[in-house]
Amino acid sequence: MKVLVYAESTEGKFKKSSYETILYASKLAKKVSGETIAVSIGNVSDEQLNTLGKYGANKVLKVSEDRLNSFDSKAYSKVIAELAKSEGANIIVLSHNYNGKAIAPRLSVKLDAGLVSGAVELPNTDGSFKVKKGVFSGKAFAHYEIKSENKIISLMPNSIALEENNVTAEIVQSNIDLSDQDFGVQVKEVKKSSGKIPLTEAELVVSGGRGLKGPENWGMVEELAEVLGAGTASSRPVADMGWRPHEEHVGQTGTAIRPNLYIAIGISGAIQHLAGVNGSKTIVVINKDPEAPFFKAADYGIVGDAFEVVPKLTEAIKELKAS
Ligand SMILES: Cc1cc2nc3c(=O)[nH]c(=O)nc-3n(C[C@H](O)[C@H](O)[C@H](O)COP(=O)(O)OP(=O)(O)OC[C@H]3O[C@@H](n4cnc5c(N)ncnc54)[C@H](O)[C@@H]3O)c2cc1C
């Protein structure tokens, strides 16, 4: 059984989540005695494409043409569906990120395939095909069985620890016939916050809530994030009040993240906030109210005034790094 995996790239480079999906797909391919075929769409150098082998891709199908240089879920899903058919791949893996979420349902329709979105582990393939995912805003896990011949899994970012394999991938240029009707969305402009770690890619995240009183106090959050090499996030009211940009808002209605470390400063821990962060490996909560609900979800808690605790924490980390 062949496993086809979409390796997403941005500006010609693969994301960490792409390597995670390749590794996941290659482990899955081993379980079903198959091979791993990666699909790269857009302009990516052969040097970059070769890196996919390190995570277990046996073959890399490269689809490049000018119209595919910006993301279009309609066209991208057509490319992936056509390649899955021509390669005879029955299992497709993508990342459960913005683009993966846009492609996966379209692919599911095109290939008449069962889809489990947001998987957190390799499927159980002993006699059936059961995939584990978080449900009820991460409060429980469910095991879904995919019974259709074609199967699609989107993998939650940060669900698998990266490790390198010793595989050399064969790179093959593939051409898919695309008409103008295959393109549905035209990207007019892309605005990026430069120099910052994208939240979904960040291994460490420092986040602030309404307890910080105002945007003028975010310097200490940014300083802590900087010494740690972390991304910054916020609760929703903070973004709603315009203290921080909306792309930093995490939770049920914002971005869902699963970093290795999430430091929550002055955030109460409402259920809607927890829904976006409770997959984090380690949660540290700093709050002056010992009854704040967030402490129940925390691995480590500091009861104290953020304006005293955070600068001390930053200094301690600086000293540790300097020693
Ligand atoms: C449909 C719906 C969807 C929602 N989606 C989201 C979402 O995606 N994400 C999200 O975050 N929220 C969401 N919310 C809002 C959510 O219910 C909470 O209102 C919100 O998370 C609270 O934000 P907060 O913790 O920053 O503020 P608050 O609840 O006001 O908490 C501030 C915390 O800071 C502490 N504090 C105050 N001063 C200090 C200090 N000096 N030092 C240390 N601690 C201090 C307080 O003790 C308190 O615990 C949603 C709500 C609804 C109804």
Side-chain angles (χ1 to χ4, degrees):
M1 211 184 261
K2 290 180 182 171
V3 182
L4 192 94
V5 46
Y6 169 49
E8 184 180 333
S9 56
T10 309
E11 292 174 352
K13 294 232 163 74
F14 292 113
K15 300 176 160 191
K16 176 174 163 265
S17 56
S18 305
Y19 294 130
E20 289 171 359
T21 48
I22 301 280
L23 183 64
Y24 178 91
S26 72
K27 285 180 182 274
L28 175 53
K30 273 193 196 126
K31 280 180 94 155
V32 296
S33 311
E35 63 171 318
T36 311
I37 304 165
V39 176
S40 162
I41 305 176
N43 206 0
V44 181
S45 69
D46 280 4
E47 192 192 350
Q48 269 291 303
L49 294 171
N50 277 323
T51 63
L52 300 179
K54 280 201 290 192
Y55 298 97
N58 303 103
K59 184 154 91 170
V60 178
L61 305 176
K62 169 184 173 181
V63 185
S64 48
E65 64 148 285
D66 284 352
R67 288 178 302 174
L68 292 170
N69 282 344
S70 65
F71 179 73
D72 182 314
S73 61
K74 197 174 169 196
Y76 276 40
S77 50
K78 172 156 184 187
V79 169
I80 298 168
E82 293 299 319
L83 291 173
K85 283 184 210 157
S86 62
E87 292 292 322
N90 294 118
I91 305 175
I92 298 168
V93 176
L94 344 88
S95 182
H96 191 62
N97 58 13
Y98 289 119
N99 293 357
K101 283 179 200 169
I103 297 172
R106 287 183 183 274
L107 265 183
S108 167
V109 173
K110 281 183 190 297
L111 296 172
D112 204 11
L115 160 67
V116 176
S117 49
V120 292
E121 277 180 13
L122 280 168
N124 183 341
T125 52
D126 301 336
S128 63
F129 195 95
K130 287 202 183 112
V131 190
K132 181 176 170 184
K133 64 170 275 185
V135 289
F136 301 124
S137 301
K139 285 201 165 301
F141 291 109
H143 299 262
Y144 286 83
E145 182 171 1
I146 308 184
K147 291 189 165 173
S148 54
E149 195 188 344
N150 291 330
K151 301 163 179 41
I152 301 175
I153 300 173
S154 66
L155 175 70
M156 278 299 275
N158 217 8
S159 295
I160 187 166
L162 283 182
E163 58 187 68
E164 294 190 7
N165 282 281
N166 214 1
V167 180
T168 306
E170 175 198 3
I171 298 169
V172 180
Q173 176 75 46
S174 298
N175 297 311
I176 303 291
D177 258 345
L178 294 167
S179 71
D180 285 347
Q181 278 71 42
D182 292 320
F183 290 81
V185 181
Q186 201 188 3
V187 178
K188 295 262 190 194
E189 189 188 7
V190 178
K191 280 192 183 164
K192 284 206 183 144
S193 36
S194 58
K196 284 172 71 178
I197 303 168
L199 255 188
T200 47
E201 298 278 306
E203 305 255 354
L204 315 173
V205 173
V206 180
S207 185
R210 205 149 43 181
L212 290 177
K213 317 281 189 255
E216 66 282 5
N217 295 324
W218 239 262
M220 66 179 185
V221 175
E222 285 177 327
E223 202 184 344
L224 177 57
E226 200 185 321
V227 294
L228 286 170
T232 50
S234 80
S235 66
R236 176 173 154 173
V238 162
D240 285 347
M241 289 183 293
W243 296 0
R244 297 299 291 177
H246 259 293
E247 66 265 18
E248 285 198 0
H249 144 212
V250 289
Q252 186 184 318
T253 46
T255 308
I257 54 171
R258 293 164 60 83
N260 291 333
L261 174 67
Y262 183 72
I263 303 180
I265 307 168
I267 303 176
S268 56
I271 180 110
Q272 297 89 353
H273 184 85
L274 291 176
V277 302
N278 59 9
S280 308
K281 303 260 170 8
T282 302
I283 295 178
V284 177
V285 170
I286 302 170
N287 198 305
K288 69 174 187 187
D289 175 7
E291 300 298 321
F294 220 148
F295 283 120
K296 290 206 179 89
D299 296 286
Y300 300 94
I302 302 173
V303 179
D305 186 337
F307 295 94
E308 286 171 23
V309 175
V310 175
K312 281 187 189 159
L313 188 59
T314 307
E315 277 316 306
I317 295 167
K318 277 187 189 164
E319 276 171 29
L320 190 74
K321 285 194 153 182
S323 65

